[in-house]
């Protein structure tokens, strides 16, 4: 229930100006159901949703909330859902494809947490370290700082305006950090038009040898012949050799890293050295994670084709790899 970030990975969730809540109509729009359907779910599971933060504002509380958030409404009551309650709704809705996708993504994440091998590599890439810091800061801002400001605003009269202004600034920072983190993690998230979390979940659960065999099977599917998985400690930096359908020599390096890591320039340079020792027309570097900008630049200059996490997902789902044809 704490993995509310899943909501935005499946579909963008618009929030009220307070940056914390959504209304019944907004939740219904997100899940593509009618307001009546959502109200029926609330009626059947009201206590459970209340435990997740669902509440209804009336009277003075409603007036204060409208004033603070700038909402224009003549209604005498307003039902509010924090992100946790929206995630709770996703577990209760039966006839919503969006809710089903949220549940599937949660199951995939749980599967990964239980089966993914522990990586011993300590990330040194600056972007990776910054992403982790961004996540921690965003979590603290959303879970601690903003609620603290909300409580102060409710009880303070002398400094109410200043507190609201400060809260707005904190929420702006929180949104910017979320946007920054989303850009860094875009490759590992499912797309709304074609969510494939299951494909990558299965691949992330493989060991190194299984991943090499998976890449070899993709090469055979795309018409390659003489596909040989070399692997092991004597592979001299080349995991797979093959011939394309038109006879060109192919060498492949495979790296099964955790999604939050990156392939850095030293990895590409090492592969480049191995490529020099093997006469080849095409060199592929296939990885279950993104590549840093420096790594991509060196690869492009050296004639190495990088197959990053997003491209690997498409290739595994059936799309042909252009360089092989």
């Amino acid at each position: 229930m704490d993995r509310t970030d899943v909501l935005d990975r499946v579909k963008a969730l618009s929030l009220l100006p307070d940056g914390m809540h959504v209304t019944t109509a907004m939740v219904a729009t997100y899940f593509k159901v009618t307001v009546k359907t959502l109200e029926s779910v609330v009626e059947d599971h009201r206590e459970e949703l209340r435990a997740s933060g669902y509440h209804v504002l009336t009277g003075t509380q409603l007036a204060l909330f409208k004033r603070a958030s700038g909402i224009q409404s003549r209604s005498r009551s307003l039902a509010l859902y924090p992100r946790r309650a929206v995630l709770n709704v996703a577990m209760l809705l039966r006839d919503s494809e969006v809710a089903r996708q949220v549940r599937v993504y949660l199951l995939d994440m749980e599967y990964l947490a239980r089966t993914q091998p522990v990586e011993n590599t300590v990330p040194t890439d600056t972007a990776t370290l910054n992403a982790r810091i961004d996540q921690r800061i965003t979590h603290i801002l959303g879970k601690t700082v903003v609620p603290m400001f909300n409580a102060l605003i409710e009880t303070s009269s002398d400094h109410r305006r200043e507190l609201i202004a400060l809260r707005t600034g904190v929420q702006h920072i929180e949104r910017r950090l979320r946007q920054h983190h989303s850009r860094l993690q875009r490759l590992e998230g499912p797309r709304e038009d074609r969510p494939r979390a299951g494909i990558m979940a299965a691949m992330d659960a493989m060991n190194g040898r299984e991943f090499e065999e998976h890449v070899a099977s993709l090469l055979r599917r795309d018409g390659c012949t003489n596909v040989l998985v070399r692997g092991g400690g004597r592979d001299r930096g080349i995991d797979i050799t093959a011939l394309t359908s038109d006879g060109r020599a192919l060498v492949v390096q495979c790296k099964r890293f955790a999604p939050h890591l990156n392939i850095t320039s030293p990895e590409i340079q090492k592969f480049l050295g191995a490529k020099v020792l093997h006469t080849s027309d095409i060199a592929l570097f296939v990885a279950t994670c993104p590549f840093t900008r420096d790594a991509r630049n060196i690869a492009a200059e050296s004639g190495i084709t990088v197959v990053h996490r997003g491209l690997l997902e498409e290739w595994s789902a059936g799309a042909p790899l252009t360089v092989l044809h």
Side-chain angles (χ1 to χ4, degrees), residues 219-237:
L219 294 172
R220 295 187 185 98
R221 186 202 68 192
D222 283 4
C224 292
T225 59
N226 295 354
V227 179
L228 175 63
V229 179
R230 303 164 69 93
R234 299 181 180 180
D235 61 7
R236 302 178 69 183

Side-chain angles (χ1 to χ4, degrees), residues 84-159:
R84 182 183 176 91
V86 178
L87 186 57
N88 202 155
V89 170
M91 298 177 182
L92 300 171
L93 274 173
R94 292 181 300 174
D95 301 321
S96 167
E97 176 60 21
V98 176
R100 187 194 67 80
Q101 289 179 21
V102 171
R103 293 192 293 270
V104 168
Y105 198 76
L106 282 170
L107 290 171
D108 284 329
M109 292 172 65
E110 174 67 12
Y111 175 78
L112 278 178
R114 293 181 180 273
T115 61
Q116 184 170 337
V118 176
E119 295 285 353
N120 293 322
T121 304
V122 177
T124 57
D125 181 70
T126 303
T128 301
L129 295 175
N130 286 342
R132 291 184 172 184
I133 293 171
D134 288 350
Q135 284 182 291
R136 292 201 301 270
I137 294 175
T138 304
H139 178 80
I140 292 172
L141 290 177
K143 296 289 186 178
T144 305
V145 179
V146 172
M148 178 188 71
F149 274 114
N150 291 337
L152 289 172
I153 290 168
E154 290 295 329
T155 58
S156 175
S157 57
D158 296 336
H159 303 285

